[in-house]
Amino acid sequence: MDSMSLIATASIVTAGLCMAIGSIAPALGEGNAVRQALMAIAQQPDERNTITRTLFVGLAMIESIAIYCFVISMILIFANPFWGHMVAKAGG
Amino acid sequence: MDSMSLIATASIVTAGLCMAIGSIAPALGEGNAVRQALMAIAQQPDERNTITRTLFVGLAMIESIAIYCFVISMILIFANPFWGHMVAKAGG
Amino acid sequence: MDSMSLIATASIVTAGLCMAIGSIAPALGEGNAVRQALMAIAQQPDERNTITRTLFVGLAMIESIAIYCFVISMILIFANPFWGHMVAKAGG
Amino acid sequence: MDSMSLIATASIVTAGLCMAIGSIAPALGEGNAVRQALMAIAQQPDERNTITRTLFVGLAMIESIAIYCFVISMILIFANPFWGHMVAKAGG
Amino acid sequence: MDSMSLIATASIVTAGLCMAIGSIAPALGEGNAVRQALMAIAQQPDERNTITRTLFVGLAMIESIAIYCFVISMILIFANPFWGHMVAKAGG
Amino acid sequence: MDSMSLIATASIVTAGLCMAIGSIAPALGEGNAVRQALMAIAQQPDERNTITRTLFVGLAMIESIAIYCFVISMILIFANPFWGHMVAKAGG
Amino acid sequence: MDSMSLIATASIVTAGLCMAIGSIAPALGEGNAVRQALMAIAQQPDERNTITRTLFVGLAMIESIAIYCFVISMILIFANPFWGHMVAKAGG
Amino acid sequence: MDSMSLIATASIVTAGLCMAIGSIAPALGEGNAVRQALMAIAQQPDERNTITRTLFVGLAMIESIAIYCFVISMILIFANPFWGHMVAKAGG
Amino acid sequence: MDSMSLIATASIVTAGLCMAIGSIAPALGEGNAVRQALMAIAQQPDERNTITRTLFVGLAMIESIAIYCFVISMILIFANPFWGHMVAKAGG
Amino acid sequence: MDSMSLIATASIVTAGLCMAIGSIAPALGEGNAVRQALMAIAQQPDERNTITRTLFVGLAMIESIAIYCFVISMILIFANPFWGHMVAKAGG
Amino acid sequence: MDSMSLIATASIVTAGLCMAIGSIAPALGEGNAVRQALMAIAQQPDERNTITRTLFVGLAMIESIAIYCFVISMILIFANPFWGHMVAKAGG
Amino acid sequence: MDSMSLIATASIVTAGLCMAIGSIAPALGEGNAVRQALMAIAQQPDERNTITRTLFVGLAMIESIAIYCFVISMILIFANPFWGHMVAKAGG
Amino acid sequence: MDSMSLIATASIVTAGLCMAIGSIAPALGEGNAVRQALMAIAQQPDERNTITRTLFVGLAMIESIAIYCFVISMILIFANPFWGHMVAKAGG
Amino acid sequence: MDSMSLIATASIVTAGLCMAIGSIAPALGEGNAVRQALMAIAQQPDERNTITRTLFVGLAMIESIAIYCFVISMILIFANPFWGHMVAKAGG
């Protein structure tokens, strides 16, 4: 198993797992937030504006965590410095 | 085990697991959101418009996380840069 | 273990596991949604139309996640680009 | 371990596990749905028709997920393209 | 480890595990359904006919999932196409 | 490790695990059903006949799942076709 | 590792694990049933005869599952057909 | 690793694990039963005789499961037929 | 790795794990029993004698399970028949 | 496997897992905090300013933990001292 | 890996794990008992003497289980018969 | 695998896992604390100063645990005495 | 891997894991105890002396279990008899 | 893999895992304690001094467990007697 295929394999597997594992908690967290927002609207319809505004701010912060994972995955696939070094060395 | 089959194997396994694991939380989260929406409609029928609108926004955000995983899986199967490099090198 | 049998093995195992793991959360999520829908109808019989309509939209979105997994499994079994490459190379 | 026995082994194990794991969530989900249906009938006997109709639609959608797994298992045992390729090559 | 014993071993282990794992969720699901049925009868004795009829339909659907697993196990033990191929080849 | 001892070992281990794992859910499910039956009798003593009859039907269906596992275990120990084939071949 | 010691080892380990794992659920299930019986007696002292009779029937059915495991363990230790075959062959 | 030490090792490890795992559920089950008995006495002091009698019958049945495990462990240590066979063969 | 050190190692590890795992459930069970006893005394101070007597009987039965594990551990360390056989054989 | 590819592989895998695992708890924690904030607004609309201010401070502190993980991942990918040392040594 | 270092290693690892695992349940159990005692005092201050006396008896019994683990660990480190045998043999 | 790359690999993996695992509990704990603070403000708006002050003290103590993990990670990456020793020895 | 480094490695790993695992339950148990103490003070302020006294006795007993683990860790690092024996033998 | 790098690797990994695992329970426990303190203040504002004092004592005791883990980690990194022995021997 040469160096390039090892690094490629590790990048592929890690990128996939990072996104997969990184999707668990944000999805559950957003589900909980949305769930409670619906309950809050049902209880206090007059506050629907405050509730949906707070909900969207919260969803944005939770989504940002999922996006960190997506960014790491994309870096590992398309802008991987270790792969770049190996390709440069092989081509040099 | 040569490089190409190793990368192909890793891509196949990772694509499958990424989608499989990545389906757990969004499905549970959407289930929770839908569950609560139905309860909210039962409690406050007059707010059914606000509730379903908030529900659909929330479902869209949770679904987006499942779609990130689907995108990663598709990239690994059909637009894999490491596989492309290897095929180019083998064919060069 | 030659390349073709390795890729075939990986595709078989991954296709099966992807569908198997990918069935867990959608089934649980749909079960929860249906459960709550029945409770909501029992509490608010007059809203049965809104409830069943919202339920079916929600079930469709959750089912779509299970279908992503089914699609990935089918692609891995019947339209696998890595297997195609290997077969073409072996036959070339 | 030659290619044919490897693919046969992988198909057997995957078919079994796919059905086994794929039975967990649909059975639990259907159990939950039935459970709630009985509770709903006890609470609101007059809505028994709406409840059982919604229940059966829900059960059908959940059962469909179990059937996807059964289909994948059957394909792997009786219509496996990789096994077919190997048999054809061995017999060719 | 020759091919036949490998396939035989895989079939034995898979058949056993498939039935074993496949018994978990249906048994729990049926337990839940029966549990709730008893509670529903205690709450609403006049609906005992509707309740037991709905219960039996539900149990039948859940039991069907356990039977899928039993079928896969039986196919793997008594009608295994891979084993048949190997026996035919060995005897041919 | 010759073929016969491999198949014998696999049969022994699988038979034991199949029964062991297959006992978990039925026992828990029956425990839940009995538990609720006792609670239902305490709440609605006049329905004790309906309750115990429904309970026994439910227990029978759950017990049937445990018996499937027992059957598979017994088949693997005393009527194992793979073992029979090997013994016949060794003795032939 | 010769055949006899392999089969003996597998039988010992499987017998022990089968009984050990097989004791988990029946003990928990019986604990739950007894627990509820005591609660039911406390709530409805006049039904103590029906309750204890139903309890003992339920305990007997749950205990039967533990006994299946005990039977498998005993068969594996004292009436193991594979061990018998090997001993006969070695002595023949 | 000769046969005797292998069987001895397997017997030691299995005996210990069988007792260890087999102690989990009975102890939890008995704890639950005792817990509820105390609660039942506090709620219905006049039924203390029925409660403690039912409790002791239940504890005896749960304890019997722990004793099955103890019996298997003792058989494996002091009356192991496989070890006896090996010792007899070595001494013969 | 000679026979004696293998058996000694297995005995040491098994004795430790048996006691360690065997301490989990009795300690939790006793904790639950004591917990409920305190709650029962707070609810029904006049029954403090019956409660503490029932508690001590229950604690004794749960403690007996922990003692079974302690006995197995002690037998494995200080009265191990397999070790005795090996020492006798080595010294003979 | 030479040193450079080993370090590169370890960095890739660790960076991905660190971000993936590190996203679980912050996302769940933020989801809980947002959930409760919505409930609090529904209960006490007049305190919406205090609630959202406290919420944002809390979210910031929880987000900081996710950012620690992101920082570690970035350091491992783009400012890894071990990789730097190896590159310098290889180039020296 | 000679016999002495093997036994020493096994003793060290087992002693540590035995104490570590053996501390889980007693600490949780005592925590639960203390927790309930405080609640009981808050509910029924006049019974504070009975409650604290029962608490201390219960804590002593739970602590005894942790001490069994400590004793096993100490025996394995300072009074290990297998190590003694090996040292005697090596020195003899 | 030479010493330096082994230590470098271990440091990289450990630093990442330490921060990743170490982020789980503080984030959940802070989420719980913030959650309750919002509930407390909603229940007792007049105590908002005491509540937020206590909250911030508590968050600081929980954050300190996350920072211990961050410190360990940073020491392992940038001030690792074992790596320093190896570099000094290699350069000496 | 010589004996001394094996024993040193085992001691290091065991000492760390023993303290790490051994910190889980005491910390959770103390957290529960403190939690309930605060609730008890809020419910029954007049009993604050009895409550805090009982709390501190309980905390001391739970802390003692964590200290057992710390003691074992310290013995393994600084007063390890197996290491001492090896050092003496190496130096003798 | 020579002795020094083995011990260094074990120390690095153990130090990191010890702190990481050791941070789980204290952080959760402190979170629970803070959570309840806030609830207690909201219920009984007049007791805020007793509550915060008891809280800080409790937090200090829980924090002490996290600090034990930090101490073990620091000893393993900066004052490791096994490493010291090896360095002395290598330098001697």
Side-chain angles (χ1 to χ4, degrees), chain D residues 77-90:
Chain D
I77 294 179
F78 293 113
N80 192 324
F82 304 103
W83 173 256
H85 181 91
M86 288 295 172
V87 167
K89 205 173 68 177

Side-chain angles (χ1 to χ4, degrees), chain E residues 21-66:
Chain E
I21 298 175
S23 74
I24 293 174
L28 290 178
E30 292 186 7
N32 282 344
V34 173
R35 191 169 83 181
Q36 201 66 41
L38 296 167
M39 197 141 104
I41 291 173
Q43 281 179 355
Q44 198 67 264
D46 297 336
E47 287 298 313
R48 80 173 74 87
N49 289 328
T50 315
I51 289 168
T52 55
R53 204 176 51 228
T54 310
L55 173 67
F56 292 162
V57 171
L59 286 182
M61 284 202 78
I62 300 173
E63 188 83 12
S64 77
I65 293 175

